[in-house]
Amino acid sequence: DHVPPVPGSFEDAATGKTIHFWTKPIARLLEVSVSTYAQEKKVTTDEAALGRLQSMDVVLGGDHGQGKFRSVIKIILRDGTGRQVDSMVMKVGHIDCTKDTYEVLKSSVAGPLNESMKEVIDSGALQLIRDENGRLSFRMQNHQDDPPLTLLSSLTIRVFVTGDLAYFAAILGKVNMAGGWCTWCGLSPKEWSPQDHDKGELWTLAAMAEVWTSISLGVILDTSANRQGCVDVPLRMCVPINAYIIPILHTEIGIGNR
């Protein structure tokens, strides 16, 4: 089976150019990808192999290069002990753009991918089912079907986000703050720079939204200390910030460049 992309376009206010993009529905992609994997690996005829599949991680990432922004997911299948059984990478979004700015992401892939990831999170599991004809396939837990189905197993799903700090800053509404305020807590560069610094209070999406809303309504003054890097509405509201994986490679490259 093939999951077709959903295309779109918009006019970039900064350049006046039309920017084209596309996304894929992630929940449907998980169903098709894992079903295809099971068939190609002949897992559907191997009860022991099927029994090993107990959970899955879905890691959503994005990066820009050579005039394009690409968003991908890595699907990691795990056994009952949490060990990786197998993995696969699927592209879920694309933008033809010279820069992946906050406004470009907001006007293109951010909305569809956010809704798509929310569907996966709300489902919570990918189920292995047998239909009335004996065929095996994987379906999201909240999938509505008319034919009678037999549930064989259920893979719980965890969702994570990864990318470089600039990508984190853009999707969290901390525009141009990648080199400053901490992604995961409210510490400023002056506060987190010392090696023995005290730990800051961890961010939540609700707390970020409250800061931005309070400033926009004039409840608190619009100062750097009050903003704590939160300068616009987050573009991803379904994945908690503690599920953002620190980009170790990008961090090491940054240290090396210095």
Side-chain angles (χ1 to χ4, degrees):
D1 290 343
H2 172 65
V3 180
V6 180
S9 64
F10 70 97
E11 184 176 318
D12 185 11
T15 64
K17 296 181 179 179
T18 299
I19 293 181
H20 299 275
F21 65 92
W22 59 261
T23 58
K24 287 190 175 183
I26 297 175
R28 179 58 183 154
L29 192 61
L30 292 180
E31 293 176 339
V32 172
S33 299
V34 179
S35 295
T36 302
Y37 162 84
Q39 292 169 5
E40 291 179 348
K41 298 288 185 178
K42 297 182 171 34
V43 175
T44 53
T45 58
D46 186 338
E47 290 188 9
L50 280 175
R52 290 184 65 199
L53 302 179
Q54 295 294 315
S55 66
M56 63 187 296
D57 293 341
V58 180
V59 186
L60 175 65
D63 201 5
H64 184 275
Q66 298 181 336
K68 297 176 178 62
F69 173 84
R70 305 166 185 85
S71 188
V72 301
I73 56 170
K74 184 170 185 178
I75 305 168
I76 305 172
L77 302 173
R78 300 190 183 278
D79 64 15
T81 67
R83 292 182 179 178
Q84 179 175 315
V85 175
D86 216 329
S87 67
M88 60 200 86
V89 176
M90 302 288 170
K91 190 173 180 181
V92 296
H94 177 99
I95 316 172
D96 289 321
C97 58
T98 55
K99 291 184 179 181
D100 55 336
T101 64
Y102 174 88
E103 291 299 331
V104 167
L105 292 172
K106 181 180 179 180
S107 300
S108 56
V109 302
L113 290 182
N114 190 64
E115 289 300 315
S116 199
M117 288 300 284
K118 186 177 184 302
E119 182 181 359
V120 172
I121 293 169
D122 289 345
S123 171
L126 188 69
Q127 297 180 328
L128 173 62
I129 57 95
R130 178 184 286 117
D131 65 20
E132 58 184 349
N133 297 315
R135 292 188 296 260
L136 297 179
S137 63
F138 286 87
R139 302 287 180 90
M140 300 306 295
Q141 185 168 248
N142 57 357
H143 196 288
Q144 300 297 321
D145 289 280
D146 293 327
L149 303 173
T150 302
L151 175 63
L152 301 179
S153 65
S154 184
L155 282 65
T156 56
I157 299 175
R158 298 188 304 175
V159 173
F160 299 92
V161 174
T162 193
D164 60 23
L165 294 179
Y167 175 66
F168 284 177
I171 62 176
L172 288 174
K174 303 176 80 170
V175 185
N176 300 321
M177 296 295 170
W181 294 84
C182 178
T183 298
W184 293 270
C185 74
L187 293 184
S188 67
K190 183 178 180 181
E191 293 170 321
W192 60 251
S193 293
Q195 292 185 358
D196 59 346
H197 69 267
D198 293 332
K199 293 183 178 180
E201 184 177 352
L202 295 178
W203 277 120
T204 64
L205 291 169
M208 277 189 173
E210 183 178 353
V211 168
W212 185 85
T213 301
S214 296
I215 290 176
S216 63
L217 295 176
V219 176
I220 60 176
L221 293 177
D222 186 5
T223 65
S224 177
N226 286 339
R227 284 196 306 269
Q228 295 179 282
C230 304
V231 297
D232 219 321
V233 180
L235 299 179
R236 185 144 304 136
M237 295 298 294
C238 57
V239 183
I241 299 172
N242 60 9
Y244 280 55
I245 303 172
I246 186 170
I248 297 175
L249 175 60
H250 285 281
T251 302
E252 290 179 341
I253 292 173
I255 294 172
N257 287 338
R258 292 183 180 181

